[in-house]
Amino acid sequence: MYTRRNHKHLTRAQKQAFVAAVLELKRNGTYDDLVRTHQRYFVPDDDDGLRVGHMTPSFFPWHRRYLLEFENALRALDSSLSVPYWDWTTDNTPAAALWGEDFLGGTGRAGDRQVMTGAFAYERGNWPIRVGVTDGHYLTRNLGRPDRPIALPTAAELQWAVEDPVYDASPWDSTASGGGFRNKLEGWAAPRSERWRNHNKVHQWIGGHMTGATSPNDPAFWLHHSFVDLVWDRWQARHPDSGYLPAGPLGIADRQRGRVISLDEAMPPWDQTPHELLGHQGVYRYE
Ligand code: CU
Ligand code: CU
């Protein structure tokens, strides 16, 4: 059993060790394989295929399993490591320590949005982008989107999702608007005046690579999703009598049949079900 910590409480040496291991995974190819996995399972609503990672009930368990892939690779290099988390409701400006020279580096420069500081700056030579390349091979960000400002989600916005006692609702996609914790936290369900909420809004706030199918190209991805994973725990604790939905395979007439994962169906590319990932007791805990 190991601990996932708020990045704010990491020592300088712990940040250094985390960054060094991430760079080693990049060097040995593991990191880009992980980015490819995310890209492959980035299937939107309007596609007829199976949606296992996004716009779908298995958003939480799929990303839990995905983070464990990354974390296991980190820990194989250095067993003191885990994925830190970033609470974006409190740590909510580009001046936060998260974006420091000694950790993830800062926003992109004007013009091409290229990240110029920290270990993941292209010019350092250790972070070439190879998966999902459109223009340059450099990491891009646009923190806070100054051209069209967007704020990180507030505590009240997060609470709005956590207070919903229903896990998810038909049609089990990004339009599930009648309610559901999953769609409110993933962030497609939003008031008319807003396009994004919670998880999605954070991707938009960071900008650059974080807005697309290859978002794990930005190491901020892992800290963001570590917090999303923690929030799933909070929802479970708040609603002990609510469970994952759909609880069983959808009926023959349901348009979403074969396109979403119910409680006991395996989530590709792994042979694990949401049921098996409802908890993480004995593996890791949050501090
Ligand atoms: Cu994702
Ligand atoms: Cu995400």
Side-chain angles (χ1 to χ4, degrees), residues 38 54 59 63 199-200 203 215 221 224-225:
H38 193 269
H54 307 91
F59 168 74
H63 282 87
H199 156 269
N200 283 340
H203 279 273
S215 50
F221 174 93
H224 171 33
H225 272 275

Side-chain angles (χ1 to χ4, degrees), residues 82-163:
S82 61
V83 185
Y85 66 87
W86 165 37
D87 178 349
W88 23 258
T89 64
T90 55
D91 210 3
N92 56 3
T93 78
L98 183 67
W99 311 109
E101 173 74 40
D102 63 341
F103 201 28
L104 302 186
T107 194
R109 67 180 175 189
D112 63 5
R113 310 216 191 289
Q114 180 173 175
V115 170
M116 302 302 289
T117 54
F120 306 104
Y122 183 73
E123 288 175 358
R124 292 281 193 92
N126 298 316
W127 202 255
I129 302 296
R130 300 193 184 94
V131 184
V133 172
T134 46
D135 308 311
H137 290 257
Y138 47 82
L139 178 63
T140 56
R141 287 185 190 135
N142 189 26
L143 302 185
R145 219 173 57 184
D147 41 317
R148 274 180 307 141
I150 183 172
L152 284 166
T154 62
E157 185 171 329
L158 181 67
Q159 206 55 24
W160 164 78
V162 171
E163 287 302 319

Side-chain angles (χ1 to χ4, degrees), residues 35-273:
V35 180
R36 276 182 208 102
T37 298
H38 193 269
Q39 183 182 40
R40 183 154 23 109
Y41 290 95
F42 199 82
V43 175
D45 276 355
D46 48 19
D47 192 288
D48 286 336
L50 173 69
R51 299 187 314 280
V52 66
H54 307 91
M55 300 182 172
T56 196
S58 50
F59 168 74
F60 290 102
W62 192 89
H63 282 87
R64 173 166 287 172
R65 186 63 181 74
Y66 182 59
L67 254 67
L68 284 167
E69 289 286 303
F70 171 66
E71 194 165 52
N72 290 339
L74 282 179
R75 290 173 54 77
L77 295 174
D78 178 346
S79 63
S80 77
L81 294 175
S82 61
V83 185
Y85 66 87
W86 165 37
D87 178 349
W88 23 258
T89 64
T90 55
D91 210 3
N92 56 3
T93 78
L98 183 67
W99 311 109
E101 173 74 40
D102 63 341
F103 201 28
L104 302 186
T107 194
R109 67 180 175 189
D112 63 5
R113 310 216 191 289
Q114 180 173 175
V115 170
M116 302 302 289
T117 54
F120 306 104
Y122 183 73
E123 288 175 358
R124 292 281 193 92
N126 298 316
W127 202 255
I129 302 296
R130 300 193 184 94
V131 184
V133 172
T134 46
D135 308 311
H137 290 257
Y138 47 82
L139 178 63
T140 56
R141 287 185 190 135
N142 189 26
L143 302 185
R145 219 173 57 184
D147 41 317
R148 274 180 307 141
I150 183 172
L152 284 166
T154 62
E157 185 171 329
L158 181 67
Q159 206 55 24
W160 164 78
V162 171
E163 287 302 319
D164 195 320
V166 178
Y167 177 77
D168 205 346
S170 173
W172 317 107
D173 61 9
S174 72
T175 70
S177 58
F181 163 66
R182 191 276 309 166
N183 207 24
K184 288 178 176 175
L185 205 285
E186 187 178 359
W188 306 106
R192 265 181 200 285
S193 56
E194 297 170 46
R195 182 150 177 220
W196 317 102
R197 291 215 126 184
N198 289 309
H199 156 269
N200 283 340
K201 194 186 269 182
V202 175
H203 279 273
Q204 297 299 320
W205 184 87
I206 295 174
H209 279 99
M210 273 294 269
T211 61
T214 62
S215 50
N217 273 313
D218 190 334
F221 174 93
W222 309 105
L223 284 86
H224 171 33
H225 272 275
S226 184
F227 185 61
V228 168
D229 188 78
L230 179 162
V231 173
W232 187 22
D233 282 7
R234 278 189 198 164
W235 179 83
Q236 289 176 325
R238 177 81 183 79
H239 308 285
D241 298 327
S242 301
Y244 181 95
L245 295 171
L250 299 179
I252 226 116
D254 196 311
R255 265 191 70 247
Q256 293 291 331
R257 186 182 166 86
R259 295 168 66 188
V260 303
I261 299 279
S262 64
L263 184 62
D264 292 303
E265 295 176 285
M267 301 182 297
W270 308 291
D271 192 27
Q272 273 187 303
T273 65

